[in-house]
């Protein structure tokens, strides 16, 4: 039941249909859907904050949740100000009955995702299940103490954690289910996903969508 209504469409693009339809970092959406109740973006890189794809899923009621650097383009895309929620790390929010918190997402020694940008991952609570969507992050001290049931973690390396580091995180925080993302499109391969699956503890279920 934890995975019912959940799809990883490609890369880091996630759709969750649990009485509300939520998208995270929509990217390469295949057709016009206009079905989003909430769109969450973790940061403004083109493969996570894609205007073209957001416009395929937004409608007049859609709420947009994102970091401060998303704001101007969210207005340009036609979101009304009262439907734009600007988030920063280490805060708690509630939207349409969905409670969520924000977690820092950044690189430690790489320059792609600087900590001072205040980019985020999200932990959502839906039907008493906690879902962690990591965003683009390295294996940072802050995320080693996350408590969640289902974890979506980047494994592609180069811009984020690699498969080995992601497995180390999962083995530390011990969710019931781990889902690798951020591979197969721009960076990272199926082999990375296989390595991740192999390195994760046996009692943690790994679910791959591609």
């Amino acid at each position: 039941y934890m995975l019912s209504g959940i799809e990883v469409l490609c890369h880091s693009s996630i759709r969750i249909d649990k009485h509300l339809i939520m998208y995270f970092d929509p990217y390469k959406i295949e057709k016009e859907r206009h079905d989003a109740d909430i769109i969450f973006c973790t940061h403004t890189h083109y493969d996570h904050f894609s205007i073209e794809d957001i416009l395929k899923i937004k409608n007049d009621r859609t709420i947009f949740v994102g970091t401060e650097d998303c704001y101007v383009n969210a207005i340009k895309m036609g979101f009304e100000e009262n439907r734009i929620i600007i988030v920063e790390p280490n805060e708690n929010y509630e939207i349409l009955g969905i409670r969520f918190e924000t977690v820092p997402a950044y690189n430690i020694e790489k320059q792609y995702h600087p900590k001072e940008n205040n980019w985020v991952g999200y932990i959502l609570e839906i039907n008493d299940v906690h879902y962690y969507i990591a965003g683009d992050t390295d294996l940072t001290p802050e995320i080693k103490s996350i408590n969640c049931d289902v974890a979506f973690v980047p494994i592609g390396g180069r811009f984020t954690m690699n498969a080995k580091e992601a497995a180390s995180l999962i083995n530390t925080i011990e969710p019931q289910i781990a889902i690798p993302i951020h591979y197969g499109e721009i960076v990272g391969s199926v082999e990375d996903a296989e390595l991740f699956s192999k390195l994760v503890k046996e009692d943690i279920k790994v679910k791959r969508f591609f």
Side-chain angles (χ1 to χ4, degrees):
Y1 74 98
M2 290 186 187
L3 293 183
S4 69
I6 288 180
E7 303 168 82
V8 182
L9 305 173
C10 79
H11 195 51
S12 293
S13 179
I14 299 163
R15 183 178 187 269
I16 296 180
D17 181 354
K18 299 265 190 190
H19 73 264
L20 291 173
I21 294 178
M22 294 167 274
Y23 287 86
F24 294 81
D25 294 349
Y27 183 59
K28 295 197 172 178
I29 300 291
E30 285 180 359
K31 54 183 188 289
E32 303 273 337
R33 295 188 178 197
H34 304 294
D35 60 350
D37 292 302
I38 312 175
I39 298 170
F40 293 84
C41 285
T42 59
H43 64 296
T44 47
H45 285 162
Y46 73 92
D47 51 327
H48 297 263
F49 181 63
S50 164
I51 290 172
E52 176 191 351
D53 292 297
I54 289 169
L55 290 173
K56 287 181 183 176
I57 58 176
K58 87 176 275 284
N59 57 56
D60 293 341
R61 299 178 319 281
T62 305
I63 292 175
F64 176 82
V65 179
T67 49
E68 193 175 349
D69 46 357
C70 297
Y71 180 79
V72 171
N73 277 322
I75 291 284
K76 283 182 186 169
M77 282 187 276
F79 288 96
E80 294 170 21
E81 276 195 50
N82 64 349
R83 293 186 180 276
I84 301 172
I85 311 293
I86 297 302
V87 298
E88 53 187 49
N90 304 309
E91 297 288 344
N92 289 280
Y93 302 86
E94 184 168 341
I95 297 172
L96 301 180
I98 300 284
R99 287 208 297 258
F100 65 93
E101 62 180 285
T102 47
V103 181
Y106 64 92
N107 291 140
I108 295 173
E109 292 178 353
K110 305 187 277 279
Q111 297 306 309
Y112 305 110
H113 306 89
K115 189 173 186 181
E116 56 271 21
N117 284 15
N118 282 336
W119 290 340
V120 297
Y122 295 99
I123 302 173
L124 282 86
E125 184 186 335
I126 308 170
N127 302 335
D128 296 325
V129 179
H130 289 84
Y131 297 87
Y132 170 46
I133 291 101
D136 278 8
T137 187
D138 282 338
L139 181 49
T140 65
E142 291 95 330
I143 64 176
K144 290 179 184 174
S145 56
I146 278 173
N147 188 7
C148 65
D149 303 294
V150 180
F152 298 79
V153 289
I155 64 160
R158 188 167 163 203
F159 305 109
T160 68
M161 293 184 271
N162 60 30
K164 199 171 173 183
E165 292 161 332
S168 170
L169 172 66
I170 292 301
N171 291 339
T172 300
I173 65 175
E174 297 188 318
Q176 294 184 49
I177 302 169
I179 300 171
I181 59 173
H182 210 272
Y183 71 96
E185 285 286 330
I186 294 160
V187 69
S189 63
V190 171
E191 287 75 23
D192 291 311
E194 287 166 355
L195 176 61
F196 172 77
S197 302
K198 200 167 75 180
L199 294 175
V200 167
K201 289 176 184 172
E202 280 182 14
D203 55 342
I204 299 171
K205 179 183 176 185
V206 175
K207 166 69 176 169
R208 284 168 46 198
F209 284 83
F210 42 86

